[in-house]
Every structure is written in structure tokens, then in C-alpha cells.
């Protein structure tokens, strides 16, 4: 299984528009972060988790030429706003499968009504195949996918486990019964927004405590704000098995 971090930034990305914060002015490519998303490939299958406003740019940068489906963690714009950019995949492949909680599907239908239209549909709009998922495992071809339920402030979000890899973002609280689904991981990805407290995201300390609780072989932090600090400086402060993810980083499991 190959994992490509398409984006590792928070909702505004880094650099933030108009910001003079030192991290936003950094020349280090690891400090430049598109909105959060990950590409997962195994055998001949290609899936993404979330497609935010940078989706087109991310697909071009990753040289992605096929898309077997999109899994959505939740409905916020930095995770969904790129849905229209599935059109090139649709024109080549036909309907693109999407997987999301029924609440997220409802919100996508509201925002992208022309994609879900069934009568007098604009001929250039893409089609999707709707798969409503609940908090129970489902299969993608030969892969078992296990949803991990958490709360983003008071909004339900899903993380996903693929074999010995798990991807969680926009988490603030997770019940122990959900944490139990994360045993024996080779790689855990989890959000770490900044060092200061935040109402709907793990801070760095909270993320590190969660990593310690789950105890994966390795962990990567994502959904990172410029307020966390310079990539290289933060990395030096982390445990030896914990790494700051960065855009276009690839790992193989």
C-alpha cells in the first residue's frame, strides 16, 4: 500500500493569504501546505480521502490518472470543495463512487445540486455513485475499511482504517471503543493543529498523547496550522517514531 500526502494544511492552507507570519514566509517546501487530503493506492486501486479546494492541483502534482472513489471524513469546505474537479476522471471512467455518512451526502447534494440532479442535468456535470456509510466496516474491492468515529467539536467525523494504516483528521474527542479499533497499526495519521488549545482539533500535546495511547509503530501528524511553527524545528521536538507529514510525502506500508 502506498500513501501520498496530497495536503497537510489546515483550512486556510500555508501560507495563509495576506499573512506575514514567519512560517507563511518560509522558503522551506515543507512549510507550504495545501488543504488536507491523502491518496491511498494498493494493487491497481486508487482512492482519496477528502477532496478539498486544492484537489485539482493535488491530482496534477501526484500525476494521478484514475480514481476509484472518494471517502469523505465530514462536510466542511476544506474537505469537500473540490468535488467538481472529479470531471476529468468522470469523462474517462464514468460515474465516480463516493463514500460518506448520510448527513455528508445531504450536504453535498445541497452544495453541488447540479452533480446530483436527475432531471435536465447539465451535460458537462459529473456523475457520482452514492455509498452511504455507517460506523461499521465495509469493503473496497479486496480491502476491508473500518470507520473510526470521532467528534470535531460537536460534529461527527469519520476516520478510516485500511489494514494496518489509519487516517484520522479533524478529531477532538474519540471514545475508547473507537480507539480499540486502532490496535496493531503500522502507521497512524492524526491531526495536530497547533500548540495552543483549540475547540475542535487536537493540539500537538493532545495528538502526541493520542499516539501514545494507540501505540502504532509510526505516526504522522497532519492538518497543521502555521501556528504550530516551522516544520524542521517542530520535528526535532517529537518522539523518534512521530513525524510531521508534509505535502507530497510518500510512504509505503
Amino acid at each position: 500500500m502506498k500513501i501520498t500526502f496530497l495536503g497537510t494544511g489546515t483550512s486556510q492552507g500555508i501560507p495563509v493569504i495576506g499573512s506575514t507570519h514567519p512560517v507563511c514566509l518560509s522558503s522551506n517546501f515543507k512549510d507550504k501546505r495545501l488543504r488536507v487530503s491523502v491518496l491511498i493506492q494498493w494493487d491497481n486501486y486508487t482512492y482519496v480521502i477528502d477532496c478539498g479546494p486544492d484537489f485539482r492541483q493535488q491530482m496534477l502534482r501526484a500525476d494521478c490518472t484514475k480514481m476509484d472513489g472518494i471517502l469523505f471524513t465530514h462536510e466542511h469546505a476544506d474537505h469537500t470543495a473540490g468535488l467538481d474537479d472529479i470531471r476529468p476522471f468522470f469523462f474517462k471512467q464514468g460515474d465516480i463512487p463516493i463514500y460518506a455518512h448520510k448527513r455528508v451526502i445531504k450536504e453535498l447534494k445541497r452544495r453541488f445540486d447540479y452533480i446530483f440532479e436527475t432531471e435536465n442535468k447539465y451535460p458537462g456535470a459529473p456523475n457520482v455513485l452514492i455509498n452511504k456509510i455507517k460506523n461499521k466496516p465495509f469493503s473496497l474491492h479486496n480491502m476491508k475499511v473500518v470507520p473510526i468515529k470521532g467528534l470535531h467539536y460537536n460534529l461527527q467525523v469519520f476516520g478510516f482504517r485500511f489494514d494496518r494504516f489509519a487516517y484520522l483528521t479533524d478529531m477532538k474527542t474519540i471514545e475508547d471503543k473507537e480507539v480499540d479499533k486502532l490496535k496493531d497499526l503500522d502507521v497512524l495519521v492524526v491531526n495536530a493543529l497547533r500548540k495552543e488549545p483549540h475547540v475542535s482539533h487536537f493540539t500537538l500535546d493532545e495528538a502526541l498523547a493520542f499516539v501514545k495511547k494507540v501505540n502504532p509503530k509510526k505516526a504522522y501528524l497532519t492538518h497543521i496550522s502555521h501556528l504550530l511553527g516551522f516544520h524542521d524545528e517542530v520535528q526535532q521536538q517529537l518522539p523518534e517514531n512521530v513525524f510531521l507529514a508534509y505535502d507530497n510525502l510518500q510512504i509505503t506500508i
Side-chain angles (χ1 to χ4, degrees):
M1 183 188 303
K2 184 170 77 171
I3 310 298
T4 303
F5 289 87
L6 300 172
T8 56
T10 186
S11 58
Q12 298 181 85
I14 306 175
V16 175
I17 294 171
S19 175
T20 57
H21 188 282
V23 173
C24 291
L25 300 177
S26 172
S27 60
N28 185 350
F29 74 93
K30 293 181 180 179
D31 287 321
K32 301 181 186 301
R33 303 180 185 277
L34 300 178
R35 266 61 73 92
V36 69
S37 179
V38 69
L39 181 73
I40 303 177
Q41 297 170 297
W42 73 94
D43 297 339
N44 194 36
Y45 304 115
T46 301
Y47 285 83
V48 294
I49 299 178
D50 292 334
C51 63
D54 302 313
F55 183 70
R56 173 183 174 274
Q57 182 180 354
Q58 292 165 339
M59 292 294 94
L60 290 170
R61 185 173 63 181
D63 194 25
C64 188
T65 59
K66 70 186 291 282
M67 182 59 54
D68 291 299
I70 302 169
L71 289 74
F72 288 100
T73 58
H74 64 298
E75 63 266 42
H76 283 170
D78 54 322
H79 299 259
T80 61
L83 183 59
D84 184 77
D85 285 328
I86 65 171
R87 283 183 294 149
F89 295 119
F90 166 67
F91 295 152
K92 289 173 59 178
Q93 303 172 208
D95 297 2
I96 304 299
I98 61 172
Y99 301 80
H101 188 278
K102 64 180 180 181
R103 185 199 71 246
V104 178
I105 297 295
K106 181 179 179 180
E107 183 63 17
L108 292 175
K109 286 182 175 181
R110 186 184 71 82
R111 295 185 194 171
F112 299 94
D113 57 333
Y114 62 94
I115 291 178
F116 295 87
E117 182 61 69
T118 57
E119 296 182 8
N120 300 316
K121 183 170 183 173
Y122 179 70
N127 289 341
V128 296
L129 292 174
I130 298 172
N131 296 273
K132 295 180 181 179
I133 59 176
K134 299 180 180 180
N135 191 17
K136 60 181 182 180
F138 60 97
S139 294
L140 296 178
H141 309 286
N142 57 347
M143 178 68 68
K144 177 183 177 183
V145 181
V146 180
I148 312 297
K149 180 183 176 182
L151 288 178
H152 179 41
Y153 184 44
N154 59 4
L155 179 70
Q156 176 270 332
V157 297
F158 275 145
F160 298 101
R161 176 171 182 159
F162 292 70
D163 195 15
R164 297 177 70 86
F165 168 79
Y167 180 87
L168 281 64
T169 188
D170 290 55
M171 296 283 184
K172 182 63 177 180
T173 54
I174 308 177
E175 295 181 1
D176 285 343
K177 64 181 180 179
E178 298 298 310
V179 177
D180 288 342
K181 299 177 182 179
L182 298 171
K183 293 178 179 178
D184 301 319
L185 288 177
D186 286 343
V187 174
L188 168 69
V189 178
V190 67
N191 55 296
L193 185 73
R194 63 190 193 192
K195 296 177 182 177
E196 297 78 15
H198 192 274
V199 68
S200 60
H201 283 280
F202 279 156
T203 64
L204 177 60
D205 284 346
E206 288 169 340
L208 292 177
F210 184 75
V211 169
K212 187 174 181 179
K213 185 174 184 177
V214 173
N215 194 31
K217 291 181 180 178
K218 290 183 179 180
Y220 290 84
L221 306 181
T222 192
H223 206 293
I224 293 164
S225 162
H226 62 292
L227 298 175
L228 185 63
F230 293 103
H231 181 283
D232 292 347
E233 293 180 3
V234 176
Q235 181 60 61
Q236 293 176 3
Q237 303 167 13
L238 298 179
E240 63 178 9
N241 70 326
V242 180
F243 306 89
L244 283 191
Y246 55 87
D247 286 20
N248 224 31
L249 169 66
Q250 293 186 343
I251 59 175
T252 300
I253 302 172

